[in-house]
C-alpha cells in the first residue's frame, strides 16, 4: 500500500512537472514579446485579450493548424525524431531539481522534488549534454545548407561551453561537499555561494547563455545570416517543440543559477514562503535573459569560440584552483 | 541621460564590463519609458495637418453652386491622367462639369490639380481612409466629391477614437484636438 502511494505521488509530481514545463513557455513568450516591445518603445501584443494576454494561445493554435512540412530531400526519420530529442532532455533534467524542502498537505509531508539524487548535478550535466543531438539531427536531416551550418555551429558551441560550465560548478561542489542539489542549497542557508564564487557564477552564467542559445550567443539561429539555423526547415508543431525546448533550457539555466549560486529557496531579510523566494529568483533570471536579448548584439563566431576557450576555460580552472587552495 | 564616459585606457571598467552595464542601464530606462505606438484603429487616430493631401473634394461657392468651370486644366496637368472632366452648359449659361471623375486608384496625391485650378474648385482634403475591395469603387464621381470633407482646420494630433464596423469600417474620433505624438519620443 505504501509503495502504491509513493509511486502514485511520484507519478503525480512528474505529471505536474511536465504540465508546468509544457505550459510555462506560453506566458514566457508573451512576457518576452512585451519586454521586447517596451524596450523598443513599442507595446508588444495588444489585441488578443487584455494587453495581448491570449496571444500565446492564438500562436499555439496557429502552430498546431499549420502545415507540417517535411522537405522532399529530408531524412524523414531523423527529421521527425529531432524535435523530440531536443525536447526530452530539458524535461528529464527537471526530475533531479528540487524546488523546496517540503510542504504539508492534509497532514502529509510532501517533498518538493521528484528525487533527491546524490549525484544530481552530474545527472543534470549529463542529460543536458544529450540535447545537442536534437539540434544536430534536426540540422542534418533537413538537408538544407542553413540548417547544417546552424547545427554545426550549435554543436561546436554547446560542446565547448559545456566544459567551462562543468568546471564552474566544481567550486560549488567543493563548498557544499556534495553533488546533491538539495545539500548544495542547504549549505547556502547562511551565505549564498555568489559571495564565495563570483567568478564561478560569471563563468556559469555566460556559459549558460551559450548553452541556452540566447543572445549574445545565439549563433545557432542567427536569423540575419542563417535563416533560422537548425530549425529553418521546421514548421508547425515540430517547430513549436524546438521553441518549447529552448524555453525549457532557459528556465533550467535560471533554476540552476538560483540553486547553485543564489541560495535556492533561502530568503534574505524579507520572510517569504521558500517556494515564493525560489520563484521570484528564477523569474529575475528569466527576465535577465530577456533583458540581455534586447540589449546586446550577437557575437561573431570566432569571438564566441575565443571567449569559450581563451577566457571562460582558464577562468573556471583558476576558480577551481583558488577555491581548492582556500579550502586547504 | 548622459553619454557614456570615455573609459579607454581604464582596465577596471573593461574588466567589469562597464560598457555592457551601460547598455543594460539604457535598455532598462527605455523599458519604463512611454510607448510611442499609436493604437490605430482601436483606440487612437491621427488627425491630418491642414496642409495634408488626402482625398480630393470639390468646393461650392456662396450660392451653393459648384465652383468648377470644367476647364479641364486639372485633367491636363495630372501626371497620371486620373481625372476625367466632361463640360456642359447649365441653365444660367455657365460652363460646369457634367462628369467629374477621379480614379483614386491611380492618383498619386501630388496636388498639381489643386495648384492648376483657376477657379479654386478642387483641393486635396483630410480624408485618408478610403480603402476598398474593388478598384472600381475607387472611381469617385462629381457628387461624391462635393460631399467629401475639406481641409483639416487643426491637426497633427493623436485623438481618442473608436473602430466602428457596423455598416462600414469607420474610425470615429471623439475630440477635436489630440495630444502631440512627438511628446512621447524619448530624446537622450
Amino acid at each position: 500500500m505504501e509503495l502504491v502511494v509513493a509511486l502514485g505521488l511520484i507519478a503525480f509530481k512528474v505529471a505536474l512537472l511536465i504540465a508546468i514545463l509544457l505550459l510555462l513557455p506560453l506566458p514566457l513568450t508573451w512576457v518576452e514579446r512585451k519586454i521586447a516591445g517596451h524596450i523598443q518603445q513599442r507595446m508588444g501584443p495588444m489585441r488578443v485579450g487584455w494587453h495581448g494576454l491570449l496571444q500565446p494561445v492564438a500562436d499555439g493554435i496557429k502552430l498546431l493548424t499549420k502545415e507540417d512540412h517535411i522537405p522532399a530531400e529530408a531524412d524523414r526519420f531523423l527529421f521527425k525524431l529531432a524535435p523530440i530529442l531536443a525536447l526530452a532532455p530539458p524535461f528529464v533534467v527537471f526530475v533531479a531539481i528540487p524546488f523546496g524542502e517540503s510542504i504539508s498537505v492534509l497532514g502529509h509531508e510532501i517533498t518538493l522534488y521528484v528525487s533527491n539524487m546524490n549525484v544530481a548535478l552530474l545527472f543534470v550535466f549529463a542529460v543536458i549534454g544529450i540535447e545537442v543531438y536534437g539540434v544536430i539531427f534536426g540540422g542534418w536531416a533537413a538537408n538544407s545548407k542553413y540548417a547544417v551550418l546552424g547545427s554545426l555551429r550549435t554543436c561546436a558551441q554547446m560542446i565547448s561551453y559545456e566544459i567551462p560550465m562543468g568546471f564552474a560548478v566544481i567550486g560549488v561542489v567543493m563548498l557544499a561537499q556534495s553533488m546533491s542539489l538539495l545539500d548544495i542549497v542547504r549549505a547556502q542557508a547562511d551565505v549564498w555561494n555568489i559571495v564565495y564564487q563570483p567568478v564561478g557564477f560569471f563563468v556559469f552564467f555566460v556559459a549558460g547563455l551559450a548553452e541556452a542559445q540566447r543572445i549574445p550567443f545565439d549563433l545557432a539561429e542567427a536569423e540575419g545570416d542563417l535563416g533560422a539555423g537548425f530549425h529553418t526547415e521546421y514548421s508547425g508543431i515540430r517547430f513549436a517543440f524546438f521553441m518549447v525546448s529552448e524555453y525549457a533550457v532557459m528556465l533550467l539555466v535560471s533554476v540552476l543559477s538560483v540553486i547553485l549560486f543564489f541560495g535556492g529557496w533561502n530568503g534574505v531579510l524579507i520572510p517569504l514562503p521558500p517556494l515564493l523566494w525560489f520563484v521570484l529568483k528564477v523569474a529575475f533570471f528569466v527576465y535577465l535573459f530577456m533583458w540581455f536579448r534586447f540589449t546586446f548584439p550577437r557575437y561573431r563566431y570566432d569571438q564566441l569560440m575565443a571567449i569559450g576557450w581563451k577566457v571562460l576555460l582558464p577562468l573556471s580552472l583558476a576558480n577551481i584552483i583558488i577555491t581548492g587552495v582556500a579550502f586547504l | 541621460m548622459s553619454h557614456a564616459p570615455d573609459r579607454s585606457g581604464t582596465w577596471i571598467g573593461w574588466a567589469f564590463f562597464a560598457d555592457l552595464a551601460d547598455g543594460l542601464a539604457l535598455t532598462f530606462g527605455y523599458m519604463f519609458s512611454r510607448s510611442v505606438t499609436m493604437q490605430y484603429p482601436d483606440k487612437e487616430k491621427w488627425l491630418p495637418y491642414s496642409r495634408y493631401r488626402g482625398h480630393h473634394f470639390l468646393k461650392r461657392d456662396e450660392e451653393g453652386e459648384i465652383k468648377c468651370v470644367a476647364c479641364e486644366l486639372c485633367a491636363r496637368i495630372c501626371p497620371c491622367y486620373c481625372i476625367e472632366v466632361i463640360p456642359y452648359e447649365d441653365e444660367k449659361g455657365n460652363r460646369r462639369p457634367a462628369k467629374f471623375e477621379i480614379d483614386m486608384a491611380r492618383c498619386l496625391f501630388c496636388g498639381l490639380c489643386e495648384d492648376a485650378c483657376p477657379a479654386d474648385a478642387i483641393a486635396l482634403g483630410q480624408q485618408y481612409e478610403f480603402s476598398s475591395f474593388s478598384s472600381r469603387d475607387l472611381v469617385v464621381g462629381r457628387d461624391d466629391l462635393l460631399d467629401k470633407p475639406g481641409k483639416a482646420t487643426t491637426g497633427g494630433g493623436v485623438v481618442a477614437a473608436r473602430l466602428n464596423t457596423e455598416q462600414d469600417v469607420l474610425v470615429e474620433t471623439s475630440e477635436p484636438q489630440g495630444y502631440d505624438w512627438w511628446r512621447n519620443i524619448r530624446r537622450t
Side-chain angles (χ1 to χ4, degrees):
Chain A
M1 187 60 203
E2 272 183 20
L3 186 71
V4 174
V5 171
L7 279 177
L9 200 59
I10 286 177
F12 173 72
K13 280 181 192 167
V14 169
L16 192 69
L17 205 56
I18 290 174
I20 290 174
L21 282 175
L22 272 177
L23 290 179
L24 209 55
L26 292 180
L28 281 182
T29 52
W30 179 80
V31 166
E32 179 148 26
R33 291 175 66 174
K34 274 291 177 192
I35 289 174
H38 283 279
I39 281 180
Q40 295 160 2
Q41 288 198 296
R42 295 181 288 113
M43 281 178 160
M46 282 297 281
R47 301 194 64 168
V48 193
W50 184 80
H51 277 246
L53 257 178
L54 295 177
Q55 183 73 42
V57 180
D59 284 345
I61 293 169
K62 184 199 76 175
L63 283 171
L64 278 171
T65 53
K66 261 194 161 184
E67 185 195 357
D68 179 20
H69 178 252
I70 299 181
E73 298 288 312
D75 183 332
R76 298 179 72 89
F77 175 68
L78 283 185
F79 194 84
K80 287 174 184 168
L81 185 70
I84 300 161
L85 271 184
L87 189 63
F91 279 67
V92 174
V93 163
F94 274 93
V95 166
I97 286 186
F99 299 94
E101 290 283 355
S102 59
I103 48 168
S104 54
V105 180
L106 303 171
H108 293 282
E109 286 287 304
I110 293 175
T111 51
L112 286 170
Y113 43 85
V114 179
S115 72
N116 178 22
M117 298 184 197
N118 53 358
V119 288
L121 202 52
L122 199 63
F123 175 81
V124 166
F125 279 94
V127 174
I128 205 66
I130 300 173
E131 208 224 340
V132 76
Y133 280 110
V135 174
I136 296 173
F137 287 174
W140 177 255
N143 213 347
S144 148
K145 52 185 169 295
Y146 297 123
V148 171
L149 279 173
S151 67
L152 282 178
R153 283 183 180 186
T154 314
C155 182
Q157 175 183 339
M158 280 196 164
I159 290 169
S160 43
Y161 274 81
E162 234 152 60
I163 299 164
M165 200 176 180
F167 281 162
V169 299
I170 289 181
V172 175
V173 175
M174 283 164 141
L175 284 177
Q177 303 277 337
S178 167
M179 287 191 98
S180 157
L181 291 175
L182 211 57
D183 289 342
I184 288 174
V185 175
R186 281 174 189 151
Q188 297 177 74
D190 300 323
V191 187
W192 295 355
N193 272 339
I194 181 73
V195 178
Y196 300 126
Q197 298 277 330
V199 179
F201 169 69
F202 169 74
V203 173
F204 179 84
F205 190 69
V206 174
L209 277 173
E211 200 75 357
Q213 311 281 341
R214 301 283 299 187
I215 279 179
F217 303 113
D218 71 331
L219 284 125
E221 300 191 28
E223 55 267 25
D225 41 318
L226 284 183
F230 60 88
H231 55 60
T232 306
E233 303 291 342
Y234 281 90
S235 59
I237 195 66
R238 291 185 215 277
F239 170 74
F241 276 13
F242 278 119
M243 282 313 277
V244 171
S245 142
E246 192 178 299
Y247 276 98
V249 174
M250 181 175 87
L251 211 61
L252 175 73
V253 175
S254 306
V255 166
L256 279 180
S257 300
V258 170
I259 288 180
L260 296 175
F261 295 98
F262 281 82
W265 47 87
N266 296 312
V268 279
L269 300 174
I270 316 156
L272 290 173
L275 194 62
L276 189 62
W277 258 114
F278 188 74
V279 170
L280 281 178
K281 287 179 194 171
V282 172
F284 169 76
F285 273 97
V286 170
Y287 174 73
L288 202 63
F289 268 96
M290 295 175 178
W291 185 11
F292 276 22
R293 172 162 177 193
F294 298 105
T295 302
F296 297 138
R298 185 179 301 124
Y299 275 102
R300 219 168 53 213
Y301 189 64
D302 58 320
Q303 290 173 331
L304 173 92
M305 283 296 148
I307 292 167
W309 291 103
K310 293 183 187 167
V311 180
L312 293 186
L313 189 64
L315 264 182
S316 58
L317 284 173
N319 186 45
I320 294 173
I321 293 165
I322 291 167
T323 313
V325 168
F327 240 80
L328 292 173
Chain B
M1 292 298 299
S2 64
H3 287 278
D6 181 31
R7 290 206 187 79
S8 54
T10 57
W11 64 272
I12 295 180
W14 174 83
F16 287 96
F17 301 102
D19 303 332
L20 299 190
D22 277 352
L24 285 173
L26 187 73
T27 48
F28 196 72
Y30 268 101
M31 171 129 185
F32 293 101
S33 66
R34 284 186 68 96
S35 152
V36 296
T37 306
M38 195 190 301
Q39 293 191 62
Y40 177 85
D42 292 337
K43 284 180 185 163
E44 288 166 324
K45 181 183 176 175
W46 175 75
L47 293 179
Y49 295 99
S50 54
R51 61 173 184 270
Y52 184 80
R53 298 200 297 260
H55 199 297
H56 305 75
F57 65 100
L58 287 174
K59 296 181 192 170
R60 295 175 189 273
D61 59 14
E62 294 82 52
E63 285 115 52
E65 261 202 84
I66 188 165
K67 269 182 165 182
C68 178
V69 293
C71 64
E72 296 177 55
L73 274 179
C74 50
R76 288 274 174 276
I77 203 163
C78 182
C80 36
Y81 310 112
C82 65
I83 307 182
E84 191 189 355
V85 186
I86 296 175
Y88 81 112
E89 195 181 316
D90 70 356
E91 310 87 66
K92 295 177 194 162
N94 291 327
R95 187 182 154 109
R96 295 287 180 225
K99 182 183 178 189
F100 196 109
E101 271 185 4
I102 301 182
D103 188 352
M104 297 309 294
R106 278 161 67 180
C107 177
L108 56 82
F109 304 98
C110 61
L112 281 179
C113 46
E114 185 178 345
D115 291 349
C117 186
D120 187 28
I122 188 171
L124 274 66
Q126 60 175 303
Q127 192 191 5
Y128 57 86
E129 293 154 328
F130 50 91
S131 55
S132 153
F133 284 109
S134 159
S135 55
R136 222 165 290 141
D137 297 345
L138 287 170
V139 180
V140 186
R142 183 191 65 186
D143 297 335
D144 288 337
L145 283 170
L146 279 167
D147 292 339
K148 288 289 175 193
K151 297 268 186 198
T153 45
T154 58
V158 177
V159 296
R162 192 175 67 88
L163 181 65
N164 182 1
T165 50
E166 271 157 27
Q167 41 204 307
D168 202 358
V169 180
L170 273 175
V171 183
E172 294 169 346
T173 55
S174 55
E175 32 189 319
Q177 210 158 4
Y179 68 86
D180 180 16
W181 180 79
W182 289 92
R183 77 169 185 199
N184 286 341
I185 293 285
R186 202 179 131 114
R187 297 179 178 87
T188 53

